[in-house]
């Protein structure tokens, strides 16, 4: 397993960014590689299971491991066929706007393929 950490900062307040993270219905609005999210519930919670449908039609299954509302952190495991990844997201306020980080663990080739899309999505997430 390899580890990749990405970071993006932008003008959106941390509360707004966190709200976009915890609402799966919002994911396609800032994550251009996501076409749809199939999940029961409006807000992520530990144990929540669902599916993310990519623009290319591939479906990845996921389970949310933990959510810390106070610290604005959450972790989930995603599986697309034989590829498994663990993703940890955090949101931090700054003087103006916010910073979000993504720590991804998985096969090195999967992380390399995902890095560009993830950077793009994080940048869109922290915009107003």
């Amino acid at each position: 397993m390899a580890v990749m950490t990405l970071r993006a900062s932008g003008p959106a307040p941390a509360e707004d960014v966190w709200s976009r993270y915890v609402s799966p219905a919002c994911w396609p609005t800032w994550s251009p590689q996501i076409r749809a999210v199939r999940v029961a519930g409006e807000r992520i919670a530990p144990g929540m299971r669902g599916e993310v449908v990519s623009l290319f039609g591939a479906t990845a299954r996921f389970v949310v491991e933990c959510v810390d509302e106070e610290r604005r952190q959450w972790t989930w495991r995603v599986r697309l066929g034989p590829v498994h990844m663990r993703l940890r997201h955090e949101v931090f306020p700054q003087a103006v706007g916010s910073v979000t980080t993504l720590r991804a663990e998985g096969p090195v080739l999967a992380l390399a393929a995902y890095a560009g899309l993830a950077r793009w999505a994080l940048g869109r997430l922290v915009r107003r």
Side-chain angles (χ1 to χ4, degrees), residues 2-42:
V3 176
M4 167 182 76
T5 302
L6 302 175
R7 179 181 187 277
S9 61
E15 297 78 24
D16 292 352
V17 173
W18 180 246
S19 178
R20 293 174 195 155
Y21 260 143
V22 299
S23 175
C26 290
W27 296 354
T29 67
W30 56 267
S31 188
Q33 69 270 26
I34 297 176
R35 181 173 46 178
V37 180
R38 298 179 191 134
V39 64
E42 295 179 13

Side-chain angles (χ1 to χ4, degrees), residues 18 21-22 24 37 55 64 72 75-76 78 89 94 97 101:
W18 180 246
Y21 260 143
V22 299
V37 180
L55 285 177
V64 176
R72 295 187 188 106
T75 304
W76 58 325
V78 181
H89 302 276
Q94 354 182 71
T101 62

Side-chain angles (χ1 to χ4, degrees), residues 19-75:
S19 178
R20 293 174 195 155
Y21 260 143
V22 299
S23 175
C26 290
W27 296 354
T29 67
W30 56 267
S31 188
Q33 69 270 26
I34 297 176
R35 181 173 46 178
V37 180
R38 298 179 191 134
V39 64
E42 295 179 13
R43 193 170 180 88
I44 61 170
M48 174 182 269
R49 295 179 179 276
E51 297 177 333
V52 173
V53 182
S54 78
L55 285 177
F56 312 108
T59 300
R61 297 176 189 261
F62 71 85
V63 61
V64 176
E65 290 186 337
C66 60
V67 179
D68 186 334
E69 295 272 353
E70 187 175 310
R71 297 176 71 188
R72 295 187 188 106
Q73 300 174 354
W74 71 287
T75 304

